[in-house]
Amino acid sequence: MVQRMRFENKVVFITGGAIGFGRAFAKAFTAEGAAVVIADIDVDAGEATAAALRADGARAIAVRCDVSDEVAVEAAVARTVEEFGGVDILINNAGLHLLKYNQPFGVLPRADLRALFDVNVIGIVNCTIACRPSMSARGGGAVLNISSIAGYMSTSPYGVSKLAVRGLTIALATELAPDRIRVNAIAPGLMGTENALDGLPEEMVRDFIENRQLVHRLGLMDDIVNTTLFLCGGQAGFITGETLKVAAGYPLSI
Ligand SMILES: NC(=O)c1ccc[n+]([C@@H]2O[C@H](COP(=O)([O-])OP(=O)(O)OC[C@H]3O[C@@H](n4cnc5c(N)ncnc54)[C@H](O)[C@@H]3O)[C@@H](O)[C@H]2O)c1
C-alpha cells in the first residue's frame, strides 16, 4: 500500500520563512508533501530558501510581504491563491525578537515599541484575516502562531507582545471556529538556533539549562518543528485555542 504523506496537496503560508524557524517549517512541510509560500520582507533570502526547496523537488515560492502591512499581506495571499489555488495552513512565525525589545518600557523608544507590536501582534491579525476566506472556501484549515516562553513572564515589551500572541490565539480560535479553522500556538523556550543566543551572557544560558529547565539541553529545531506539524495536522483535530510550551519544563508553575 502506498503511504500518503501527512500534508499532501496542502498549501502552507509561512511568514518569516526565509531563515530560522520559518525555513525549518518550510522544509518539514514540503518533506510531508505540502506546497509552501515563504512570505518575508527579506525577499532575496526568501527566494534562496524557495529555490533550494524547488531544487529538492518541492513546490515552493517566495513572496515579498511585510506582515505589518495589511495591503501587502492581502497581495501575498492573492499571489498564493493564484499560484497554488488557496491556503490550508498559516504559520504566523515572523517576529521581532532582538535584545533591544527586552529593554524596559521606559527605555525602548515608542517607535520601536509600535514596530514590535505591529509585527508580532497586528501582523498575526493581518495574515489570519487575509487567509480566512481561502481556508474557509477549502472547508477549513489550521493556524499556528509562534509565541514564546517570554510570553509567560511578560517582564519586557517582547514578553508582553508574546503574551498578546497567546491571547490572540484564544480570540482567533473562537472567531474562526465557524469556518472550521483551528488556531493554536507554540511557546518555544531557550533554543540553540541561529539568532536566538546572540548577545545572551553565557552564564545566564548555563544557569537556565542546568537549574531552571527539567531537560538539561538547548532546544533544537526538531523540537519545535515536530510540535508545529502535529498541531497543524489531523492528529490535533480536537485541539484549538491552545498555546503549547516547548520549553523543557520551564517555567512549570505558570
Ligand atoms: N529563536 C528563538 O529562540 C525563539 C524563541 C521563542 C520564540 N521565537 C519566535 O519565533 C519566531 C521566529 O524566530 P527566529 O529565531 O526564526 O527568527 P529570525 O530572526 O531568525 O527570522 C525571522 C524572519 O522573519 C522575517 N521578518 C521579520 N520581520 C518581518 C515582517 N515584518 N514581515 C515578514 N517577515 C519578517 C525576517 O526577515 C526573517 O526571515 C519569532 O516570532 C520569534 O519571536 C524564537
Side-chain angles (χ1 to χ4, degrees):
M1 199 178 79
V2 181
Q3 188 88 33
R4 272 173 64 89
M5 285 190 280
R6 236 190 316 176
F7 294 101
E8 212 170 294
N9 300 323
K10 298 292 184 197
V11 179
V12 187
F13 188 94
I14 305 173
T15 70
I19 61 169
F21 286 11
R23 183 170 56 199
F25 295 145
K27 208 169 164 204
F29 274 112
T30 54
E32 292 273 6
V36 297
V37 176
I38 311 287
D40 207 295
I41 38 170
D42 187 343
V43 78
D44 290 339
E47 187 44 55
T49 295
L53 294 169
R54 287 195 297 271
D56 282 342
R59 294 190 302 149
I61 60 166
V63 292
R64 183 191 300 278
C65 174
D66 177 346
V67 296
S68 68
D69 177 346
E70 197 180 336
V71 175
V73 170
E74 294 279 355
V77 173
R79 171 84 185 88
T80 302
V81 174
E82 182 186 287
E83 183 74 23
F84 293 130
V87 184
D88 301 289
I89 295 168
L90 164 65
I91 309 293
N92 281 314
N93 163 76
L96 298 178
H97 60 93
L98 300 176
L99 271 188
K100 163 167 111 175
Y101 301 109
N102 282 312
Q103 296 182 97
F105 283 98
V107 175
L108 186 69
R110 294 291 192 283
D112 289 321
L113 184 62
R114 284 199 184 88
L116 176 71
F117 278 77
D118 263 351
V119 175
N120 289 13
V121 183
I122 310 287
I124 291 183
V125 176
N126 289 340
C127 295
T128 307
I129 297 306
C131 287
R132 179 181 189 171
S134 176
M135 288 182 169
S136 175
R138 286 157 81 92
V143 178
L144 194 283
N145 301 327
I146 314 296
S147 177
S148 168
I149 209 65
Y152 289 81
M153 297 174 271
S154 308
T155 51
S156 69
Y158 175 74
V160 174
S161 79
K162 292 299 186 179
L163 173 64
V165 174
R166 293 171 53 208
L168 265 182
T169 301
I170 296 168
L172 292 171
T174 309
E175 191 169 324
L176 274 61
D179 289 349
R180 300 164 61 90
I181 299 168
R182 296 183 301 106
V183 183
N184 290 297
I186 59 167
L190 192 60
M191 307 298 297
T193 52
E194 277 163 295
N195 300 327
L197 300 179
D198 263 6
L200 292 185
E202 217 174 286
E203 324 75 75
M204 195 200 108
V205 173
R206 203 174 321 112
D207 172 58
F208 217 93
I209 294 173
E210 288 171 10
N211 302 323
R212 303 180 193 215
Q213 294 180 185
L214 303 181
V215 180
H216 305 295
R217 65 163 171 81
L218 280 170
L220 303 173
M221 208 57 107
D222 270 357
D223 295 319
I224 58 156
V225 167
N226 292 337
T227 319
T228 295
L229 266 59
F230 165 70
L231 286 171
C232 292
Q235 287 175 326
F238 205 51
I239 303 176
T240 192
E242 293 292 341
T243 297
L244 182 58
K245 289 180 220 152
V246 186
Y250 178 82
L252 272 187
S253 55
I254 51 179

